[in-house]
Amino acid sequence: MRKLLVLLVLSFFLVTAQAEEYDAVMAEDWLLNLAGYLSGISPLNDPLETGDLSRPEEYLLQYDFGTVITRGETEPKRGSIVEVTMETAKIADCLGHTVGMRLDDLNIPAAQNPAFPLTLVAMQQSGIGWLWVYAKDGETYGVEWVSYRMDSAQATEIVLTYTVEEGTINRIRVRKNEMTVDEAMANLSSVGELDETQRASARAVQNDQQAFSEQDATLNGTRIISEPVDRLGGLLDSPESSQTLPAGQGRLLLYDGLIISCNLEEQTGVETVYGVTVAKEKYAGPRELRVGMTLTEILERFRCDRTVTTAGGTLYLEESDSDQLPQGKLVSFDENEESLIYGCRAGDRGLWLEVTFRNERVSAWRMYTDTRIDAEGTDTRTKPEILSVPTAAPAVEMSGENETGAANTQLLGLS
């Protein structure tokens, strides 16, 4: 039985090992020391009036720092304390933390960017236990350590729980529970099942790669976005054909598996590239992005600040006064189709890279500039809703200085 517990612990995936070490032994020692401290202090209430009818012989004792629950005794004698709740900073817990501390000070990276409503952060480095983070809408509202002390067939579980509001600890609770080793092992097994489920649903994991930037605006290793069309001669053969868009919206240069969107700069009279759409492997995009690569391969090449699941979400985001750039998002349309969308500033414009995946492989990608910014930082035309494009052929819609028409998917071999 004990060997099985060890195997379960070793099989868990550790999201982080940076959190402070906690185990049931140190927590139980802290409870014994607290009993000694309280032995000379009278509670603010009469414990005999607060016996728990649902839990015979349990009593609630109120102090200026919070409450204590004892079992079998109306006084906090050694071994009688089963629960402590601290609501002020007067007493520190076994890790030295107090009410009023900031969540940042706990040194738990996953608490800043929780991926799930209940995120398994790590198994404990000593003893048998684990660390949870509770979150809603990406905001942490609870942190909980669970640890067991094993004695033959009996187990003592001691849980240390923080409730968090607006990034600050506002309550600390320590709870001691007695159970059998079989019950403890069942709890541990449940945590293992959750860990496997979370790993299976994770699409992106945190890395230290650079965000998508203006330097990534390349095709086959050569900068192309916002460059004059005549520079394409040294990079590509002559286009197979071209298509003039209505109402002076520019034109499309059509190649085998590639469309280049162009517009005429009114001020300079120079025709400039504003977008590329690619549907064949022979064309390399930013950081050697190619059609046919896996979603994991692409995710590993660009910045990611947090774990993102199959449901999609924000990979990174930096907000400025005028927009939300740079940014990266994973957008999930259904189980077989997803899109990676990266954006950054490129001079007075936004530069975007959108990569479409079918069955987790790149089926097409496009890169373009979209919005011109005036001297006061104000958009001179309406910014398109890049993140809410329809699922139908999202990789072939083009944007330039003026909004361009959508290319026929047959031109890219997507039909």
Side-chain angles (χ1 to χ4, degrees):
M1 204 175 282
R2 187 69 59 87
K3 289 183 179 179
L4 180 56
L5 281 171
V6 173
L7 288 174
L8 282 169
V9 171
L10 292 178
S11 69
F12 287 136
F13 172 71
L14 303 186
V15 179
T16 174
Q18 301 301 314
E20 292 181 77
E21 186 173 350
Y22 167 86
D23 63 63
V25 174
M26 69 186 296
E28 197 160 32
D29 288 343
W30 179 84
L31 288 173
L32 294 174
N33 291 333
L34 179 64
Y37 169 76
L38 295 176
S39 62
I41 302 176
S42 297
L44 301 177
N45 67 322
D46 183 353
L48 291 175
E49 296 178 350
T50 58
D52 190 337
L53 298 179
S54 65
R55 295 190 178 110
E57 297 191 351
E58 284 197 4
Y59 302 92
L60 176 70
L61 288 68
Q62 184 179 2
Y63 295 91
D64 57 358
F65 63 84
T67 58
V68 171
I69 294 177
T70 59
R71 181 177 295 145
E73 300 283 349
T74 58
E75 299 177 4
K77 295 182 179 180
R78 289 176 63 85
S80 70
I81 298 177
V82 294
E83 184 175 314
V84 180
T85 301
M86 292 171 282
E87 299 178 341
T88 74
K90 183 174 181 178
I91 295 179
D93 65 19
C94 60
L95 295 177
H97 300 156
T98 63
V99 169
M101 287 182 62
R102 296 291 297 172
L103 182 63
D104 299 351
D105 297 330
L106 300 187
N107 193 28
I108 304 175
Q112 307 306 317
N113 299 299
F116 309 94
L118 177 61
T119 300
L120 176 63
V121 178
M123 299 304 296
Q124 299 307 128
Q125 293 116 318
S126 65
I128 296 174
W130 56 86
L131 171 60
W132 302 116
V133 168
Y134 297 88
K136 182 178 181 180
D137 298 329
E139 295 293 329
T140 296
Y141 66 85
V143 176
E144 186 170 86
W145 284 265
V146 181
S147 186
Y148 295 91
R149 178 174 59 79
M150 302 291 188
D151 292 314
S152 62
Q154 291 300 118
T156 300
E157 175 193 71
I158 303 185
V159 181
L160 173 62
T161 306
Y162 299 164
T163 57
V164 179
E165 185 174 354
E166 296 182 352
T168 299
I169 300 171
N170 61 12
R171 184 178 291 107
I172 298 177
R173 189 185 77 163
V174 181
R175 178 73 188 181
K176 178 180 177 180
N177 302 300
E178 304 295 339
M179 62 185 65
T180 66
V181 168
D182 287 343
E183 290 172 327
M185 188 171 68
N187 292 342
L188 195 63
S189 177
S190 297
V191 175
E193 293 174 4
L194 175 68
D195 176 64
E196 291 179 1
T197 300
Q198 290 185 353
R199 276 191 286 169
S201 67
R203 279 291 185 270
V205 296
Q206 190 274 334
N207 63 41
D208 296 321
Q209 297 294 336
Q210 295 296 312
F212 174 69
S213 70
E214 189 174 3
Q215 286 67 44
D216 290 312
T218 61
L219 178 69
N220 288 349
T222 300
R223 183 178 177 85
I224 184 171
I225 302 297
S226 298
E227 296 295 325
V229 173
D230 58 17
R231 295 186 182 178
L232 296 176
L235 179 64
L236 301 168
D237 294 332
S238 298
E240 296 181 352
S241 62
S242 65
Q243 177 180 329
T244 301
L245 299 173
Q249 296 184 53
R251 63 175 181 146
L252 303 178
L253 304 181
L254 310 178
Y255 300 80
D256 178 28
L258 167 68
I259 296 177
I260 293 182
S261 175
C262 315
N263 286 96
L264 186 66
E265 288 276 6
E266 295 181 0
Q267 294 180 341
T268 64
V270 177
E271 190 178 27
T272 307
V273 175
Y274 282 98
V276 296
T277 299
V278 176
K280 288 204 172 180
E281 182 182 0
K282 62 182 179 180
Y283 303 104
R287 307 186 194 186
E288 286 299 311
L289 159 68
R290 291 180 186 271
V291 170
M293 294 178 68
T294 66
L295 176 62
T296 300
E297 286 179 298
I298 306 304
L299 285 167
E300 291 175 345
R301 299 182 182 210
F302 294 89
R303 173 179 165 184
C304 183
D305 291 344
R306 67 195 70 192
T307 298
V308 175
T309 69
T310 51
T314 300
L315 303 168
Y316 63 88
L317 176 64
E318 294 181 12
E319 298 186 25
S320 65
D321 293 337
S322 59
D323 55 25
Q324 294 184 326
L325 292 174
Q327 68 168 265
K329 291 182 180 291
L330 175 62
V331 180
S332 180
F333 298 111
D334 57 45
E335 62 180 356
N336 295 317
E337 184 174 347
E338 297 166 298
S339 287
L340 274 175
I341 303 173
Y342 298 103
C344 69
R345 277 296 195 100
D348 61 355
R349 299 173 183 269
L351 175 66
W352 297 90
L353 171 65
E354 298 183 10
V355 188
T356 299
F357 298 84
R358 291 195 177 97
N359 298 316
E360 296 198 14
R361 289 193 175 272
V362 179
S363 59
W365 59 270
R366 67 169 181 156
M367 183 168 50
Y368 58 92
T369 58
D370 63 358
T371 304
R372 180 179 293 279
I373 308 297
D374 65 20
E376 297 181 354
T378 304
D379 292 354
T380 58
R381 66 180 179 85
T382 302
K383 184 175 181 178
E385 293 293 335
I386 301 303
L387 300 184
S388 60
V389 294
T391 60
V396 298
E397 297 178 7
M398 307 289 287
S399 295
E401 181 180 4
N402 300 302
E403 294 183 15
T404 65
N408 191 311
T409 57
Q410 293 181 353
L411 299 173
L412 291 173
L414 295 177
S415 57

